[in-house]
Amino acid sequence: MSQEPVIIVQDIRDGTRKKKRPRTEEEKKDAPNAIPILRPESSNLLDDMLYPMTAEHFLKNHFRKDAVCINRKHSNQAGNEELVTYICDTFLFGLNVKEIFAETSSENVFLWLRPPPSKTNSNAALNSVEISDPESAFALHQSGSHPAYCRAPPALEQLLVGSLLRATGLGGGHYHPPHADVVTIGGGTTLGRGEVELFISTSSSSSSKSKDNGSAKKHLTGWHTDFQENFTIQLSGVKKWTLRRGRVRHPLRGTTPHYAREGSVIENQLKVARLSCMSGTTTSQDTSAYGFEYGENNAYGPEMTITLYPGDCFYFPSGMWHKVETVEPGISLNVSLMGTTYAKLFSDALQHLLVGSDEGWREIVTSRPGGEQDATNHLESMMSRLPEVISDFVNKGGAQNILPPALQYPPIGNDEDDESGSEESIDEASEDDGHGNMASDEEEEESNDPIGEKEEAQSDDDNSDDEDSPTSGIIIPMDHFVGPQGWSCRQPPNTKLAKNPLATLIVMEDISQHLDTVATTTDAIASSSPSSKKYILNVNFAGNDMYESYIRVILETEKYGPMMDWYLACEAKGGDFDNDEMNTNLALQDPPPCLFYYGYLSWVKI
């Protein structure tokens, strides 16, 4: 990996090529020498943003390693702005700030307060205020020359986040838009997340001009790091970025000394950063403790400065130190991508296994020191059986049970070019992913909670999710299911069929018979034909306090009813399959492909 933090790529129109004769109209048609217009709905969005670098080259060589700047500064400045005009006009009201504030996905608009003239430190802490009323926010932004931050309107945010998650593979390409009327297989446990931020700078007011030379002060966001993977598009204005490699790769928290700080924020950021440093895999040669302020103990290598103009695109990985200065006022757009870590995914699965394997793991911690109830002895006894639990899980599929194909392939039907999908979304009330607004660096201590913790904070009532019908969801027609291109559930040699210990089936009728007459008339309960049956499949749900499943789908079949009922009977007896019985019973042969895809079944080595 190069020590320099940024890879700079000039577009093909940067004027460095030798002059050639003008091309004919036919040549222009056959080989157009133009940078693609950025369209959020395009299935090639990442390629278009990185042009002339390909997405394939970027993902193989630079993603989560280097910052990459696609610099389009050349003589045809108007041509650069045309690259982002579609986004600006179609989704951002022609960059009308008042309308952007009115339509933001954020609950509040954030305004940064400029430091007093006496503060000359380039990394002076920033203060911000939250304004809930968009008109008041606009008035303060305009009259007080306060730089602003808010999230993009929902339509733009959902397109950009969804597209870039699929293109990068972060979170398996899965995305559950917050506050949207959509149904996904994971809901609040969806592996991928993200948001689109708009940073709106202003010209300095006359009162904030320097006493020395009268020049207007420029807004500066001081040194800090983020925990997200970031893609920035400069829509208008000019910004100067200075970057340096950070000591922690794949950080769980950012380090934000540029904001007015509280003791609890500093403590949280330091303890998490230093935990990451304990792995011994950090790249800095400095062995002192990771510090809160930017310096040699948390960064390494040379500093590097780039300048972004309208139409430029820029990627920088999580954990990279950076500061940003406004050269000319304007608007920049930043797509922040984040998701579930392997540690979180595995620990949720382990908790599911434990609470289902022994009643002792479900027992509330109870300790009366010196008495008969010794919590340490009880825990040691339970932990002594952990190797057996994990070994049995590995023998029944292990990693493929935690990450079934449905979590590794982008959602079927989401790609414009993918016509193999067979998922059908049905009407459902708007679902909240439970994360609220992950609005800005100063809020990250509140917004970067592991999946599931926000739900606990909202309510301790086990019935808090009753308002969502348990019989609604994504319906999978089992009899005609076709998986994504390139996927197969063909049986490999020397394997046998095994049920995923993290998965369970429920017959839809077991729920619908207990609902009132209004609920039982919903489309989710009514069968497509009198001979069809519906089953609810849940995978990996006991690792969070709301018992949300990583996969939840409704399986509908006319053909596989007897087989599904046999699987249910096996679950009732403990979950293991009798492969000899399956081999001799024709009705149990050739399991439906969707059960492999959504993680109920897998082939394991004999």
Side-chain angles (χ1 to χ4, degrees):
M1 182 167 57
S2 170
Q3 286 286 304
E4 290 189 344
V6 186
I7 307 299
I8 298 179
V9 180
Q10 296 284 344
D11 70 46
I12 60 175
R13 302 181 300 167
D14 64 1
T16 60
R17 298 179 304 158
K18 295 180 179 179
K19 291 185 178 180
K20 297 182 178 180
R21 65 170 176 81
R23 295 182 302 165
T24 65
E25 291 301 317
E26 284 298 317
E27 288 174 330
K28 292 180 182 179
K29 182 178 180 181
D30 293 339
N33 186 20
I35 299 172
I37 300 296
L38 300 181
R39 299 179 182 273
E41 66 273 24
S42 170
S43 58
N44 299 314
L45 176 63
L46 184 58
D47 271 305
D48 294 344
M49 291 174 61
L50 296 171
Y51 182 88
M53 180 184 286
T54 65
E56 181 181 7
H57 177 86
F58 166 75
L59 294 171
K60 181 179 180 180
N61 297 285
H62 304 299
F63 184 52
R64 294 193 287 191
K65 302 173 186 175
D66 310 306
V68 174
C69 175
I70 308 299
N71 193 303
R72 298 185 172 114
K73 171 64 175 174
H74 52 77
S75 58
N76 186 10
Q77 187 67 28
N80 293 339
E81 294 175 351
E82 288 178 2
L83 303 177
V84 294
T85 296
Y86 178 78
I87 291 178
C88 297
D89 292 347
T90 306
F91 298 96
L92 295 174
F93 319 104
L95 299 187
N96 184 309
V97 176
K98 187 175 183 178
E99 292 194 57
I100 290 174
F101 285 178
E103 299 299 327
T104 177
S105 299
S106 307
E107 293 182 1
N108 301 305
V109 174
F110 294 81
L111 298 179
W112 281 303
L113 305 179
R114 296 182 181 275
S118 59
K119 295 285 186 177
T120 58
N121 180 6
S122 62
N123 205 42
L126 295 173
N127 283 286
S128 66
V129 293
E130 300 179 38
I131 309 296
S132 58
D133 176 53
E135 292 194 5
S136 299
F138 178 71
L140 290 170
H141 165 73
Q142 193 173 46
S143 63
S145 295
H146 297 295
Y149 161 91
C150 65
R151 283 168 56 188
L156 179 59
E157 181 171 84
Q158 291 172 27
L159 285 171
L160 290 174
V161 172
S163 178
L164 291 178
L165 284 174
R166 290 193 297 273
T168 60
L170 288 174
H174 289 264
Y175 172 51
H176 181 82
H179 313 296
D181 293 330
V182 296
V183 182
T184 55
I185 65 172
T189 61
T190 300
L191 297 181
R193 292 180 283 141
E195 62 186 25
V196 175
E197 308 156 302
L198 295 174
F199 297 94
I200 306 168
S201 55
T202 64
S203 299
S204 296
S205 64
S206 58
S207 61
S208 63
K209 290 185 178 181
S210 168
K211 295 180 180 180
D212 296 330
N213 55 22
S215 61
K217 293 179 63 178
K218 298 174 181 178
H219 178 72
L220 176 69
T221 302
W223 286 104
H224 64 285
T225 70
D226 300 325
F227 65 90
Q228 306 99 328
E229 303 295 325
N230 297 278
F231 292 86
T232 290
I233 303 173
Q234 193 68 30
L235 302 178
S236 65
V238 181
K239 285 191 173 181
K240 183 172 72 174
W241 292 63
T242 306
L243 302 101
R244 192 181 181 197
R245 293 191 182 278
R247 185 172 171 180
V248 177
R249 290 193 65 195
H250 312 305
L252 301 175
R253 288 273 197 257
T255 305
T256 59
H258 65 313
Y259 279 113
R261 62 286 305 256
E262 297 178 359
S264 60
V265 173
I266 299 174
E267 180 182 346
N268 276 339
Q269 292 183 358
L270 281 181
K271 71 183 182 184
V272 173
R274 291 178 180 180
L275 172 66
S276 302
C277 293
M278 288 179 185
S279 64
T281 58
T282 59
T283 48
S284 173
Q285 299 301 313
D286 193 308
T287 58
S288 58
Y290 185 101
F292 183 67
E293 298 285 351
Y294 166 74
E296 296 303 315
N297 58 16
N298 52 30
Y300 73 99
E303 292 182 4
M304 191 169 178
T305 297
I306 61 169
T307 303
L308 298 185
Y309 298 86
D312 288 353
C313 294
F314 178 49
Y315 161 79
F316 64 99
S318 60
M320 184 168 283
W321 284 92
H322 57 284
K323 64 178 180 178
V324 187
E325 180 182 352
T326 298
V327 178
E328 295 177 9
I331 299 179
S332 58
L333 176 154
N334 187 71
V335 185
S336 296
L337 304 180
M338 63 209 88
T340 303
T341 65
Y342 283 103
K344 171 65 176 173
L345 180 65
F346 177 75
S347 61
D348 280 359
L350 180 60
Q351 180 171 318
H352 183 115
L353 285 174
L354 295 181
V355 299
S357 66
D358 192 308
E359 65 182 32
W361 289 108
R362 300 192 297 272
E363 184 178 340
I364 297 174
V365 176
T366 305
S367 179
R368 293 187 290 275
E372 59 181 15
Q373 189 70 31
D374 189 318
T376 302
N377 290 340
H378 178 74
L379 185 58
E380 286 180 348
S381 173
M382 300 296 298
M383 290 174 63
S384 68
R385 297 193 287 274
L386 264 179
E388 180 182 345
V389 173
I390 294 178
S391 176
D392 181 64
F393 178 64
V394 171
N395 291 335
K396 291 179 179 178
Q400 61 182 322
N401 289 330
I402 300 176
L403 278 173
L407 293 182
Q408 299 188 60
Y409 285 84
I412 294 177
N414 273 12
D415 194 323
E416 293 177 349
D417 298 326
D418 184 358
E419 298 179 355
S420 64
S422 55
E423 295 181 356
E424 300 175 15
S425 295
I426 61 176
D427 292 337
E428 185 177 56
S430 175
E431 294 185 352
D432 185 347
D433 73 345
H435 299 294
N437 291 325
M438 294 172 287
S440 59
D441 285 312
E442 74 265 38
E443 288 188 293
E444 71 174 354
E445 293 305 319
E446 298 177 1
S447 65
N448 190 32
D449 293 331
I451 290 175
E453 290 189 3
K454 281 294 185 183
E455 289 88 337
E456 179 185 12
Q458 289 176 349
S459 173
D460 290 327
D461 183 358
D462 290 338
N463 297 319
S464 61
D465 58 350
D466 285 350
E467 64 190 52
D468 293 326
S469 171
T471 56
S472 61
I474 294 179
I475 300 177
I476 308 299
M478 296 180 65
D479 304 349
H480 310 289
F481 175 80
V482 179
Q485 186 175 3
W487 174 76
S488 172
C489 62
R490 200 170 297 149
Q491 181 176 8
N494 302 316
T495 60
K496 66 178 181 179
L497 193 67
K499 174 195 169 292
N500 184 352
L502 303 176
T504 188
L505 288 170
I506 301 175
V507 182
M508 178 69 77
E509 189 179 357
D510 287 350
I511 297 176
S512 61
Q513 64 179 322
H514 303 293
L515 300 179
D516 57 35
T517 55
V518 175
T520 56
T521 61
T522 63
D523 292 339
I525 298 174
S527 297
S528 302
S529 69
S531 58
S532 69
K533 291 188 70 174
K534 287 182 178 175
Y535 303 81
I536 303 174
L537 171 62
N538 287 280
V539 180
N540 195 1
F541 55 86
N544 61 84
D545 291 321
M546 295 299 292
Y547 303 102
E548 284 193 275
S549 304
Y550 275 86
I551 294 177
R552 181 189 182 276
V553 291
I554 298 173
L555 307 172
E556 183 175 25
T557 182
E558 295 183 22
K559 175 181 177 182
Y560 293 108
M563 180 182 293
M564 297 293 284
D565 291 338
W566 185 79
Y567 291 149
L568 280 165
C570 290
E571 281 194 40
K573 292 185 293 185
D576 291 331
F577 294 159
D578 186 334
N579 279 262
D580 291 334
E581 181 180 351
M582 282 191 293
N583 292 332
T584 57
N585 190 334
L586 292 177
L588 299 178
Q589 293 182 9
D590 298 326
C594 67
L595 293 185
F596 292 92
Y597 188 76
Y598 289 101
Y600 187 73
L601 302 175
S602 64
W603 299 111
V604 299
K605 293 181 180 180
I606 298 176

